[in-house]
Amino acid sequence: MERGLLGDFQPQGVDYGNILMDEPVQYGLDDGFGALAEVMQMYADNAMRGVSAPYRAYTGELGDPMEEAMNVAGLVTGGGLLTGAPERMAAAEAGQSMLGMGGGQYSKIIKGIDDARAADLRYRLSGSNKPLTKAEKDPRGFGRISFDQPVEYTDFEVLDVPLASQRKIIKPEDLNRSIMIHGSGDLSGTGKLTRLSGNTLENPVDMMGGRNYGLLTPYGWGSGQGVTTKLRNKALAAQEQVAKETGEVLPVYLNYTTMNPKAIDFQEMQTSAVAESIKFAPISKKDAQKFDEQMKKKDPEFVGVLSPDLRQYLAGLSGEKRVQFMKLIDKDEFRKLGFPNVGEARYAMTEPELRNAPLFSSGLGLYKMDLSRPNISDPDMVHPSFDTAMPREGGLLGLGEPIRNEVFFRDWFNNPKNLISEKGSPMTESQAIYSFDKKPNAYQVVDQEWVDTMSGLLGY
């Protein structure tokens, strides 16, 4: 069971140097990704020195925390002070160790960010009268509107569900002579959400996960038919191309790549949680009508925000329509009218370890694709948001730490041709990542150089 942590003290003040992500663009990419990637771009012996830079800046041990963190060596991308894990704080106080979900190993990098954030919050909230800024309460960007207190203090409860398997942590050498492709996935967790924002839900919400979907099911990946078809075709094309070049038919692994926290809005479980929260919200009929008028411009068939059929209606929409609903409700004008803070639902439904996971990184989840079988359009265990599952060989795997995609997929990002826009100008980092997400030639052949690089980064 996981519960949000209600603090013994109320937030009073904090100053991190205003580390804030820009407004996300399509597919959760951030215009500010390039700057943020520098904050925690490498992880080695100085990892904790980097993640604690804002705290040490506050105490006067160093100057500009951003400048300091940019000089740190390590693996992490997405940087800055990301939201911490309150359950880790509670476990530490109880003298317990906390394992990562579905693997028995919690990433040292993410734990370092968790612990630095937790220590920094405790220090900053202990005496300053300076109000917290939006960025300080929610540095990862779970909500577009400001939280009333640090996001870690969201009051929720998620009941654990039995996992069918555990993730096996492997070494880079175990992947030698294989092909890597990637699939961008949201950060959603597993379990049953029973309480949110201090309210016991009338109808709890089942969570079937993002990267851990395969730990609940015998499948490797779940998504829409179009996405799964593209992934399978990309794997087959990469395998065929490498066979032409080398004469070897290499196995293909699908790597989970972390997305923006708001990418979870695509899922049924997210809008279901918000629909349950609306039942407790003090929304007047007049204000509901104002929301309905705006939402009907996007979806003429919208049933109404106070309709008893809201949850069922949202569940039946496409993921794109659900995202539109979430974007509209996640506005200051509606929060001021008593609508729920949907950022709290995003936080509660995110896998605990991934709340601090660097964006657009790989290594935290992968599996060997079974390309001898077609995708499964009628899986026995159906994900409520996705209609197709992809078969796998063996179990779910991981390298145990997040590795930035520019390093993981070395050859694609090292090719200058891949980093030029259609207009002939150099891409920004976010543009390059978006392009990488769509290109059929975005794959990596694992050779000894790749193995040596990853082994060095991971400390083998």
Side-chain angles (χ1 to χ4, degrees):
M1 178 188 299
E2 185 198 8
R3 290 193 176 99
L5 182 66
L6 294 179
D8 297 328
F9 44 76
Q10 293 298 313
Q12 296 179 8
V14 60
D15 186 359
Y16 297 125
N18 196 31
I19 300 174
L20 175 64
M21 296 171 65
D22 291 344
E23 183 74 0
V25 295
Q26 191 176 11
Y27 294 96
L29 297 182
D30 289 282
D31 290 326
F33 177 83
L36 289 168
E38 296 297 325
V39 178
M40 295 283 297
Q41 61 178 313
M42 302 177 73
Y43 174 84
D45 294 337
N46 291 331
M48 285 307 298
R49 179 169 176 262
V51 295
S52 63
Y55 170 80
R56 292 182 296 113
Y58 178 86
T59 59
E61 292 182 34
L62 55 83
D64 181 355
M66 291 290 286
E67 180 178 345
E68 171 72 9
M70 286 180 185
N71 293 327
V72 175
L75 299 173
V76 182
T77 67
L81 261 188
L82 309 181
T83 48
E87 61 278 7
R88 177 169 297 287
M89 297 162 65
E93 291 176 351
Q96 301 170 349
S97 61
M98 178 182 170
L99 299 180
M101 292 292 289
Q105 175 175 327
Y106 204 93
S107 160
K108 293 178 181 178
I109 292 170
I110 300 173
K111 179 183 180 300
I113 302 173
D114 279 356
D115 292 346
R117 165 75 174 173
D120 205 27
L121 270 180
R122 290 190 183 281
Y123 185 86
R124 306 298 179 81
L125 301 180
S126 63
S128 171
N129 293 320
K130 184 178 180 181
L132 292 121
T133 66
K134 178 180 182 294
E136 293 155 355
K137 287 180 285 189
D138 180 26
R140 182 68 184 270
F142 282 92
R144 288 184 173 86
I145 61 179
S146 181
F147 281 74
D148 296 330
Q149 56 185 351
V151 63
E152 288 89 345
Y153 296 94
T154 298
D155 183 4
F156 69 94
E157 180 179 73
V158 173
L159 301 181
D160 297 333
V161 295
L163 298 175
S165 61
Q166 294 287 301
R167 189 181 311 281
K168 180 181 178 182
I169 303 302
I170 60 175
K171 295 182 178 181
E173 62 192 55
D174 298 324
L175 299 170
N176 204 4
R177 304 314 301 161
S178 67
I179 300 169
M180 299 289 157
I181 67 169
H182 90 292
S184 295
D186 64 50
L187 310 179
S188 56
T190 58
K192 184 183 290 291
L193 181 71
T194 60
R195 192 177 74 246
L196 179 61
S197 304
N199 300 307
T200 299
L201 302 187
E202 179 181 356
N203 300 294
V205 180
D206 292 320
M207 303 157 53
M208 289 194 69
R211 73 161 181 156
N212 285 344
Y213 168 69
L215 298 182
L216 287 170
T217 72
Y219 315 122
W221 190 266
S223 193
Q225 185 178 29
V227 173
T228 54
T229 297
K230 288 180 180 178
L231 287 172
R232 187 173 188 275
N233 288 343
K234 177 187 284 190
L236 289 169
Q239 190 178 61
E240 181 179 359
Q241 181 62 32
V242 173
K244 288 180 180 179
E245 295 172 354
T246 68
E248 295 181 88
V249 178
L250 301 181
V252 182
Y253 288 81
L254 179 60
N255 289 268
Y256 165 81
T257 289
T258 52
M259 295 180 73
N260 184 284
K262 297 183 185 70
I264 198 173
D265 290 355
F266 191 91
Q267 288 224 40
E268 168 274 333
M269 68 179 192
Q270 172 66 11
T271 52
S272 291
V274 172
E276 292 294 326
S277 291
I278 287 173
K279 296 177 181 179
F280 301 96
I283 305 171
S284 69
K285 290 183 178 179
K286 178 181 178 181
D287 294 335
Q289 183 178 1
K290 182 182 297 186
F291 180 90
D292 293 348
E293 288 173 354
Q294 293 193 38
M295 187 62 201
K296 286 183 177 181
K297 293 178 182 178
K298 304 175 183 295
D299 179 11
E301 303 301 319
F302 183 61
V303 295
V305 72
L306 295 183
S307 169
D309 299 323
L310 177 63
R311 176 174 175 174
Q312 181 180 0
Y313 181 78
L314 293 171
L317 294 178
S318 66
E320 290 80 5
K321 285 286 183 67
R322 286 194 288 266
V323 169
Q324 290 180 348
F325 170 81
M326 291 295 295
K327 283 185 176 181
L328 181 60
I329 201 171
D330 194 9
K331 288 186 174 182
D332 276 323
E333 71 170 293
F334 293 114
R335 177 60 177 159
K336 292 175 181 177
L337 297 177
F339 285 67
N341 181 349
V342 297
E344 294 184 349
R346 293 186 186 113
Y347 181 82
M349 306 192 85
T350 294
E351 182 187 337
E353 181 168 0
L354 298 184
R355 291 187 187 127
N356 272 338
L359 304 186
F360 315 115
S361 61
S362 295
L364 292 173
L366 60 142
Y367 74 91
K368 186 177 181 181
M369 302 179 72
D370 184 354
L371 297 175
S372 67
R373 294 190 287 161
N375 291 335
I376 305 164
S377 58
D378 56 346
D380 294 329
M381 300 182 69
V382 181
H383 193 295
S385 302
F386 306 123
D387 58 18
T388 307
M390 300 182 71
R392 73 183 193 225
E393 290 186 41
L396 265 61
L397 312 171
L399 294 174
E401 298 293 348
I403 300 171
R404 55 188 295 155
N405 276 352
E406 299 95 314
V407 177
F408 201 96
F409 294 94
R410 174 200 68 205
D411 292 344
W412 195 90
F413 282 97
N414 282 349
N415 186 344
K417 294 181 180 179
N418 294 331
L419 305 179
I420 300 297
S421 70
E422 294 180 357
K423 296 181 180 180
S425 58
M427 293 183 184
T428 64
E429 191 159 11
S430 62
Q431 288 173 335
I433 291 171
Y434 179 77
S435 177
F436 168 73
D437 204 38
K438 298 299 175 184
K439 296 297 184 180
N441 65 334
Y443 63 86
Q444 177 65 46
V445 176
V446 176
D447 53 20
Q448 191 60 48
E449 178 185 351
W450 187 95
V451 170
D452 292 343
T453 298
M454 297 302 148
S455 296
L457 290 172
L458 296 170
Y460 290 113

